[in-house]
Amino acid sequence: MMRRLLPLFAVLLLALPASAQQDPGWVARRLAKLQALDKVTARVTLLDAPVGQPTQFGTLRITVRACNARPPEEVPDAAAWLEVLDTRNDPNGSAAFRGWMFANAPGVSMLEHPVYDLRVLDCR
């Protein structure tokens, strides 16, 4: 039975378009486009955050450690690894967020802060 299925599987695999046979993955980028919200003033700010360089928004110090985007031929998406420190009570900063944020799924992993909201828009 298994011997009959293997050739059928090979034929089906070859019938798939080349883009479906291989996952092109993510492409590393050097700049994250972020949207920051101050919940107190309702002010939205767009930030350009270079990978590896801290960016300040209010009392938040945001450092993008990695920023990846899908290739142009794929469905647009972006994911960034962020480290966010809150310097309000500590000049060195206390950890507010650390992890991946996804442009197409902002609710999966988000900053939980009483004053600020942060979201990844794109990686360029």
Side-chain angles (χ1 to χ4, degrees):
M1 177 74 171
M2 195 64 161
R3 290 183 195 192
R4 283 186 253 154
L5 290 177
L6 285 176
L8 178 62
F9 178 73
V11 168
L12 290 173
L13 185 62
L14 292 173
L16 290 173
S19 61
Q21 292 179 28
Q22 58 185 356
D23 179 16
W26 296 85
V27 178
R29 303 288 188 206
R30 300 297 306 155
L31 181 74
K33 301 286 283 180
L34 306 175
Q35 176 180 296
L37 168 67
D38 183 324
K39 297 176 189 176
V40 175
T41 63
R43 181 173 294 163
V44 175
T45 304
L46 298 178
L47 303 170
D48 288 336
V51 172
Q53 297 178 18
T55 302
Q56 196 75 29
F57 176 72
T59 62
L60 299 182
R61 185 180 314 135
I62 305 155
T63 305
V64 178
R65 297 294 179 194
C67 197
N68 300 320
R70 288 300 219 172
E73 62 274 3
E74 295 290 321
V75 175
D77 197 6
W81 176 268
L82 303 174
E83 292 178 354
V84 181
L85 301 176
D86 190 345
T87 60
R88 179 180 51 211
N89 297 324
D90 180 4
N92 293 327
S94 59
F97 178 85
R98 181 182 217 179
W100 287 100
M101 281 191 186
F102 300 92
N104 285 349
V108 170
S109 176
M110 53 194 223
L111 170 69
E112 293 181 19
H113 193 277
V115 178
Y116 303 110
D117 189 19
L118 189 63
R119 144 172 214 190
V120 174
L121 298 177
D122 195 11
C123 292
R124 297 183 181 175

